[in-house]
């Protein structure tokens, strides 16, 4: 019997932990006479190509993992697959079909059944039942004895009792063959469930929090470390909700750091303890990154969505982690929550922006099936899209027009702040506006007026648009901003072609050559280039002569030579090391 576990991911770099875990579990338990295969595709692929590949495999049982980003795509696939593989039994699972499985089956007569909730044990029992049926050449009566499924028996839909949750130690490590994950993010879980009850999240529905034994976790993490996996993303909903568990894992990856692997954790910042922060501060820069869901700083909003958190605590902990200058912090906000109007969201944005995280993500409320937010949608006047991802269109507190404006702010934040490519310029430019939100709002309005949102822009074009924006806003001292942008450009990249607005360095040609000759003979700043000739080092680095004090963000006139060393990059910002120099002596920043 041939079984095909199929995942349709949002991007190529993603992998689907669920299907790998189900396959590993079933094979470990034993499925005699059954061949289980995996197939991963993306929503960006042509459906005809996927249809052809699945048809060629001719599975007896075909399973799909369903989420908000792929459910429409999968529905279309299933309808066509059933036409060309009429004998294949199609099963689905995942959060997008588990909540109201009977409704889904009524809409999709092509589907045999739904595996609800955790899938490992359910999948194994379902395929074992079919394997027995194939052996005995009769329909499997044992389906009714399998917990956690809704299936079609002729014209009747049958729902079995809910399945008991799985002991985390019963899960089977699915990553023995890492060649399948080349150039992909690897996802890992050391716990399931969540201790919190946030009304917009499906994790709040299942309160059964449990953890994998640390001895197993350490053994599996060592496998990633030994194989120098680039990134491991923990999918634990709140990784640090149990201090002892978090500390053991963080201590382990610090002590066994291979200098390459990065670990990503989603945490509650306000739960961080002094001991945890002290440990984090000793880690290699880039060893871990933290994602922190702030969502809102409006106290009434937080209370209404059942989020027990203190923003003052979050601020204290985020700043304490940031002081170590070694951890990438990613902070999230959600627009469209109850009691959060435009001005309130503006305040939430400014509050979080002031913490200067490496990334500030603006998300928009998604009204998920089965979440408490869906029950309260009418009360909140929450109107959302009929099609997944069920994103909010308006609420009692936000109009559709205001949400559209926030979409513009989101894009400007993503392009200009989160990219990290304009950090020196933005730090100065913010002072020209009442607050950071107003700056991005004005920038979004400018993009809209000029029609720039509809066009794909190269990196240098983003700078040219920024210059155009400054001119239209009549910002004073444009030459100073031109040099700030030159600083930002060369901080990230040793450009082959100088920007059109950059000043000519020919007047300083002799001094620049003398600087590199001196560094070749007696290096003071560029010590990692010994053995290279001066002209080679000049090509591998970049020396810029500014006429404003851009490194301090001050419009003070003068001569300010700066050298960019791309061998020594900041692991959090990717910027090359920047050193002030004179043409006589060197001084590192």
């Amino acid at each position: 019997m041939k079984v095909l576990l199929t995942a349709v991911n949002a991007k190529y770099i993603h992998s689907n932990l669920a299907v790998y875990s189900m396959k590993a579990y079933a094979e470990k338990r034993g499925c005699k006479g059954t061949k289980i295969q995996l197939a991963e595709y993306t929503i960006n692929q042509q459906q005809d190509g996927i249809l052809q590949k699945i048809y060629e495999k001719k599975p007896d049982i075909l399973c799909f993992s369903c989420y908000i980003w792929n459910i429409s795509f999968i529905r279309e696939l299933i309808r066509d697959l059933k036409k060309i593989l009429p004998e294949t039994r199609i099963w689905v699972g995942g959060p997008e079909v588990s909540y109201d499985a009977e409704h889904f089956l009524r809409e999709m007569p092509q589907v045999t059944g739904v595996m609800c909730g955790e899938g490992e044990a359910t999948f194994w029992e379902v395929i074992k039942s079919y394997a027995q049926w194939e052996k005995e050449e009769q329909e499997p009566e044992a389906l009714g004895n399998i917990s956690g499924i809704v299936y079609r028996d002729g014209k009747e839909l049958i729902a079995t009792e809910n399945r008991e949750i799985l002991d985390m130690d019963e899960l089977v490590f699915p990553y023995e063959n890492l060649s399948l994950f080349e150039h992909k993010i690897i996802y890992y879980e050391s716990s399931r469930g969540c201790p919190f009850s946030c009304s917009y999240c499906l994790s709040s529905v299942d309160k059964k929090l449990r953890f994998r034994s640390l001895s197993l976790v350490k053994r599996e993490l060592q496998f990633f470390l030994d194989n120098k996996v680039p990134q491991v993303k923990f999918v634990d909903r709140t990784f640090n909700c149990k201090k002892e568990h978090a500390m053991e894992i963080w201590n382990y990856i610090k002590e066994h750091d291979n200098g390459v692997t990065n670990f990503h954790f989603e945490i509650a910042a306000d739960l961080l303890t002094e001991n945890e922060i002290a440990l984090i501060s000793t880690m290699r820069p880039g060893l871990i990154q933290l994602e922190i869901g702030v969502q809102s700083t409006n106290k009434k909003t937080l209370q209404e969505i059942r989020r027990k958190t203190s923003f003052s605590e979050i601020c204290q902990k985020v700043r304490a982690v940031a002081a170590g200058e070694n951890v990438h912090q990613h902070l999230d906000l959600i627009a469209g929550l109850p009691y959060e109007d435009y001005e309130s969201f503006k305040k939430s944005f400014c509050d979080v922006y002031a913490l200067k995280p490496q990334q500030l993500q603006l998300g928009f409320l998604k009204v998920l099936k089965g979440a408490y937010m869906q029950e309260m949608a009418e009360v909140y006047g929450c109107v959302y899209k009929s099609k997944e991802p069920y994103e909010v269109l308006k609420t009692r507190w936000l109009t559709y027009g205001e949400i559209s404006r926030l979409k513009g702010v989101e894009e400007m934040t993503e392009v200009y702040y989160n990219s990290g490519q304009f950090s020196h310029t933005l730090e100065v430019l913010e002072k020209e506006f009442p607050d950071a939100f107003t700056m991005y709002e004005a920038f979004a309005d400018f993009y809209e007026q000029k029609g720039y949102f509809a066009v794909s822009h190269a990196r240098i074009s983003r700078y040219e648009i920024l210059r155009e924006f400054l001119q239209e806003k009549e910002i004073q001292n444009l030459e100073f901003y031109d040099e700030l942008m030159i600083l930002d450009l060369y901080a990230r990249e040793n450009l082959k072609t100088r920007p059109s607005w950059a000043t000519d360095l020919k007047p300083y040609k002799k001094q620049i050559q003398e600087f590199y000759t001196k560094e070749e003979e007696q290096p003071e700043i560029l010590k990692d280039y010994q053995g290279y000739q001066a002209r080679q080092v000049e090509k591998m680095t970049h020396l810029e002569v500014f006429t404003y004090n851009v490194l301090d963000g001050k419009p003070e006139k003068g001569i300010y030579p700066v050298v960019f060393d791309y061998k020594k990059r900041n692991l959090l910002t990717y910027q090359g090391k920047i050193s002030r120099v004179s043409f006589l002596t060197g001084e590192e920043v």
Side-chain angles (χ1 to χ4, degrees), residues 88 161 454 537 544-545:
T88 297
E161 64 181 8
V537 180
E544 185 72 27
V545 181

Side-chain angles (χ1 to χ4, degrees), residues 313-330:
E313 281 284 312
I314 290 174
C315 288
Q316 179 187 339
K317 304 300 173 61
V318 167
R319 289 187 178 116
V321 171
E325 298 184 346
N326 64 328
V327 176
H328 174 109
Q329 295 190 87
H330 176 138

